[in-house]
Amino acid sequence: MSEKTVIIKIDGIEIKAKAGQTIMQAADEAGVYIPRLCYLKDLTPHGSCRVCTVKVNGRYQTACTEPAVDGMEVENKTQELEGLRRDIIDMLFVEGNHFCMFCEKSGNCDLQAEAYRLGICAPKFPYLFPDRDIDGTHPDIFIDRNRCILCGRCVNASRDVDGKTVFEFVGRGSEKKVAVNADAKLGDTNMALTDKAADVCPVGAIIKKRIGFAIPVGKRTYDQKPIGSEIESKS
Amino acid sequence: MAKPKIATASLAGCFGCHMSVLDIDERILKLIELVDFDKSPIDDIKKFTGRCLVGLIEGGCANEENVHNLKYFRENCDILISVGDCAINGGLPAMRNNIPLKECLDEAYLNGPTVYNPSGKIPSDKEIPLCLDRVYPCHEVVKMDYHLPGCPPSADTIWEALVALLNNKPLDLPYELIKYD
């Protein structure tokens, strides 16, 4: 029996989706890019960053968690939603210490790439310059919480893919941070360089040691084409 | 008709953005045909000689002299532009922002591993501008009209911005020219 398909409209354009797919999955397959930060294919979506917020039949929903239902009218690339996304990105920049000029992830960073895509030249909110810690105790992996945007990708990857639960959130509000499941530091955990959790950080908060700046400027992932171009090229 | 004037300043920055201005290479001859340079480290004019159309600001505000200079530019320029990451987010100097100022000065003048300071005093001459509690991006001190990100922004970014403004066109940078590094 063939899979049931549903028809949804994104910004007025009809696309086919398989029953059970989320709006994000259907949009990706149809070549429509919905901006995202915490979402990563193969990880359980949890809609925490809110960057993929779309309007579904007039109500705000996160595209990565909302199932596609027949007849849905989805708004994605509107002035209002782009403005809200810009605000989220702006807030993520001012709430951390994002010094792109010396970050190893620069050019391959999803946060930076979403900002580039939205044409952000400077955040409009005042910088907080929070006091965050770093953890270089692991022989192969480095944590710089100054750059962490609390997307939870490392938490999910470690729990669901690696089966280790190395990472977890602790604290609330501005005190919230990624912690490790050891009494002291990352070096005391069983995290390995080959773990999925070492690969999923969208920013430069969890990076592998000794491979930084391997790709020259101009050839990095987002140097020439905006994030999402590979999805949009399908349409 | 007199040519419009451009002024530039380096606050708490490394002069890399000024190097990027010079990096526009032979186009600088074209620029000289279009504008006059007023107060700038490039020509070493110390005070404004008249109203300027565009002021390019490199660096953030780390001391009272930076704030004074920035306000002076705001008063004398129609359009003020943050050039580079230090002007936009404090840049590398802002790495001291979550360390108390006293600790920074103690490390620099008393406790640093290479410090030789038999007097044990932190310099406090009246000629030395007072440090601010932290490094402030320019738009947190005065209103800035545009921002050119990058460390430094490329010469093309600066060129595109100036050409657009001089031709009274909107400053709409293409994707390749918006970079934070």
Side-chain angles (χ1 to χ4, degrees):
Chain A
M1 199 173 82
S2 64
E3 277 180 321
K4 195 188 167 202
T5 57
V6 295
I7 306 286
I8 65 171
K9 270 188 184 174
I10 300 184
D11 292 333
I13 297 165
E14 277 191 3
I15 66 167
K16 282 180 188 169
K18 297 184 196 91
Q21 271 187 326
T22 61
I23 295 172
M24 179 83 85
Q25 287 167 332
D28 280 2
E29 279 185 21
V32 176
Y33 180 68
I34 299 173
R36 76 286 302 264
L37 274 176
C38 70
Y39 174 83
L40 189 67
K41 205 179 165 195
D42 302 330
L43 293 183
T44 313
H46 56 128
S48 68
C49 75
R50 320 309 282 180
V51 171
C52 71
T53 298
V54 291
K55 262 188 169 175
V56 180
N57 300 337
R59 292 171 66 96
Y60 298 106
Q61 304 283 1
T62 45
C64 69
T65 54
E66 187 68 10
V69 175
D70 212 18
M72 245 179 191
E73 301 257 358
V74 179
E75 291 172 53
N76 172 40
K77 206 172 179 179
T78 65
Q79 210 175 354
E80 181 208 4
L81 290 167
E82 299 270 273
L84 293 172
R85 286 170 190 154
R86 194 171 288 126
D87 287 350
I88 294 172
I89 303 290
D90 279 356
M91 283 189 272
L92 288 172
F93 268 102
V94 301
E95 284 172 4
N97 296 309
H98 296 277
F99 294 106
C100 296
M101 69 291 283
F102 63 79
C103 180
E104 288 184 26
K105 191 80 175 184
S106 191
N108 304 310
C109 167
D110 288 2
L111 175 67
Q112 195 188 56
E114 292 292 0
Y116 289 168
R117 191 184 161 99
L118 290 165
I120 296 174
C121 287
K124 64 182 178 188
F125 304 113
Y127 292 92
L128 300 181
F129 295 113
D131 191 10
R132 306 254 187 94
D133 60 358
I134 58 176
D135 182 348
T137 54
H138 194 283
D140 301 314
I141 299 154
F142 180 70
I143 302 179
D144 186 344
R145 292 188 176 88
N146 289 292
R147 302 167 185 157
C148 180
I149 57 170
L150 304 173
C151 69
R153 282 191 195 177
C154 57
V155 177
N156 285 3
S158 186
R159 183 191 61 215
D160 299 342
V161 182
D162 304 329
K164 290 183 177 179
T165 61
V166 168
F167 299 103
E168 192 50 272
F169 287 127
V170 295
R172 291 286 180 272
S174 60
E175 302 298 313
K176 186 174 177 179
K177 66 173 193 172
V178 164
V180 296
N181 70 346
D183 286 339
K185 299 281 186 179
L186 186 67
D188 303 320
T189 67
N190 59 345
M191 177 138 187
L193 192 58
T194 49
D195 286 355
K196 179 81 173 170
D199 280 321
V200 294
C201 184
V203 291
I206 298 175
I207 50 176
K208 295 176 180 178
K209 292 181 179 179
R210 295 178 290 278
I211 57 165
F213 308 110
I215 306 167
V217 173
K219 294 188 173 174
R220 301 167 305 180
T221 315
Y222 303 122
D223 276 338
Q224 303 298 333
K225 288 186 178 173
I227 187 169
S229 300
E230 70 290 351
I231 291 172
E232 287 170 326
S233 64
K234 289 184 206 164
S235 63
Chain B
M1 204 173 88
K3 289 189 276 186
K5 291 179 179 176
I6 286 183
T8 74
S10 180
L11 309 178
C14 70
F15 267 98
C17 298
H18 273 82
M19 297 308 291
S20 223
V21 173
L22 298 178
D23 251 356
I24 62 178
D25 295 334
E26 75 276 6
R27 287 174 292 187
I28 205 159
L29 299 174
K30 211 169 167 184
L31 188 63
I32 292 298
E33 284 174 17
L34 297 172
V35 298
D36 281 331
F37 269 84
D38 201 88
K39 177 176 163 52
S40 168
I42 294 172
D43 54 23
D44 209 24
I45 294 176
K46 307 289 187 196
K47 289 188 175 173
F48 281 101
T49 62
R51 188 89 194 147
C52 283
L53 176 68
V54 179
L56 302 174
I57 304 293
E58 170 190 340
C61 289
N63 62 39
E64 57 168 359
E65 189 188 29
N66 297 150
V67 173
H68 174 81
N69 247 329
L70 183 57
K71 287 183 174 172
Y72 187 41
F73 263 74
R74 182 68 277 181
E75 285 162 15
N76 287 280
C77 299
D78 294 338
I79 300 167
L80 209 52
I81 307 178
S82 288
V83 183
D85 289 338
C86 294
I88 292 172
N89 65 15
L92 290 190
M95 287 188 76
R96 76 160 160 98
N97 280 5
N98 39 40
I99 303 167
L101 179 59
K102 185 175 183 311
E103 271 181 47
C104 293
L105 293 172
D106 285 354
E107 181 70 12
Y109 294 106
L110 304 177
N111 307 327
T114 58
V115 170
Y116 175 71
N117 181 5
S119 74
K121 288 180 184 167
I122 292 172
S124 63
D125 194 279
K126 63 181 178 183
E127 294 290 322
I128 301 171
L130 278 176
C131 280
L132 303 181
D133 59 337
R134 66 179 178 89
V135 178
Y136 291 83
C138 290
H139 62 271
E140 291 185 14
V141 178
V142 300
K143 177 184 178 292
M144 303 299 286
D145 299 295
Y146 295 103
H147 301 85
L148 301 180
C151 185
S154 69
D156 287 342
T157 309
I158 295 168
W159 175 253
E160 289 284 330
L162 288 177
V163 167
L165 293 173
L166 291 171
N167 289 303
N168 215 10
K169 287 186 177 158
L171 204 171
D172 196 11
L173 293 174
Y175 176 83
E176 315 80 65
L177 295 186
I178 299 179
K179 290 282 173 284
Y180 300 165
D181 55 7

